């Protein structure tokens, strides 16, 4: 099956549905103060570049990236629908975000994820991300894990 990844505004119907599904997964697992995902409005306001992965025509997953000057970029709103998992879409999204970040001369890609996202944690560690202390505006949180990878 063919997978395509293309930029898409976070306020399109497919993007909003993916973000809503991700919120539905995360909200029962974490208290509000431990949920750092951006709303659609904040994704737009913060100029997050958002991508949707499609298998054939179906929206299968999404990911965004926010640049913090030229110092680093942060992965935002990474999600693959359960029906599309196990097909390498998450890795393709990570590759796409990493390539896009490199193309913009940003040397480091960072992210925050929740402790209950074991599949995501495994993916990030296998990809080469290393655990780090909180960065940017994040604070220590027992429900969060922080990662970064140097982009060569």
């Amino acid at each position: 099956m063919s997978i395509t990844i293309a930029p898409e505004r976070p306020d399109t119907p497919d993007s909003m549905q993916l973000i809503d599904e991700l919120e539905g997964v995360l909200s029962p697992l974490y208290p509000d103060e431990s949920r750092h995902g951006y709303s659609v409005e904040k994704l737009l306001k913060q100029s997050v570049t958002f991508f949707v992965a499609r298998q054939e025509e179906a929206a299968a997953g999404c990911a965004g990236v926010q640049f913090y000057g030229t110092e680093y970029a942060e992965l935002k709103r990474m999600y693959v629908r359960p029906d599309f998992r196990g097909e390498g879409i998450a890795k393709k999204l990570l590759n796409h975000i990493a390539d896009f970040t490199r193309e913009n001369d940003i040397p480091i890609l960072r992210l925050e994820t929740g402790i209950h996202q074991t599949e995501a944690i495994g993916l990030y560690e296998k990809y080469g991300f290393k655990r780090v202390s909180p960065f940017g505006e994040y604070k220590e949180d027992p429900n969060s894990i922080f990662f970064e990878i140097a982009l060569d």
Side-chain angles (χ1 to χ4, degrees), residues 121-142:
I121 293 165
L123 171 70
Y124 300 139
E125 289 177 337
K126 186 174 181 183
Y127 196 84
F129 281 87
K130 305 294 183 209
R131 292 184 188 209
V132 295
S133 300
F135 56 88
E137 295 183 6
Y138 292 108
K139 307 286 185 238
E140 284 291 341
D141 183 335

Side-chain angles (χ1 to χ4, degrees), residues 30-102:
Y30 303 101
D32 287 346
E33 64 272 11
S34 294
R35 291 190 18 249
H36 307 288
Y38 284 3
S39 66
V40 170
E41 295 77 19
K42 191 165 182 179
L43 289 167
L44 291 166
K45 184 178 177 187
Q46 296 294 323
S47 301
V48 173
T49 304
F50 198 75
F51 298 93
V52 173
R54 295 182 183 279
Q55 187 175 66
E56 305 310 318
E57 296 299 315
C62 61
V65 64
Q66 182 175 6
F67 295 151
Y68 289 85
T70 57
E71 183 184 351
Y72 69 94
E74 183 180 355
L75 180 67
K76 294 284 192 186
R77 291 312 208 172
M78 175 92 165
Y79 176 68
V80 175
R81 286 183 160 148
D83 290 349
F84 295 95
R85 292 183 186 161
E87 301 188 32
I89 294 170
K91 186 173 181 189
K92 287 181 185 196
L93 278 164
L94 272 178
N95 285 335
H96 193 84
I97 294 288
D99 290 344
F100 182 76
T101 301
R102 260 189 228 97

Side-chain angles (χ1 to χ4, degrees), residues 97-115:
I97 294 288
D99 290 344
F100 182 76
T101 301
R102 260 189 228 97
E103 289 165 9
N104 283 276
D105 297 320
I106 309 296
I108 295 169
L109 181 59
R110 294 179 173 158
L111 66 94
E112 177 275 338
T113 193
I115 60 171

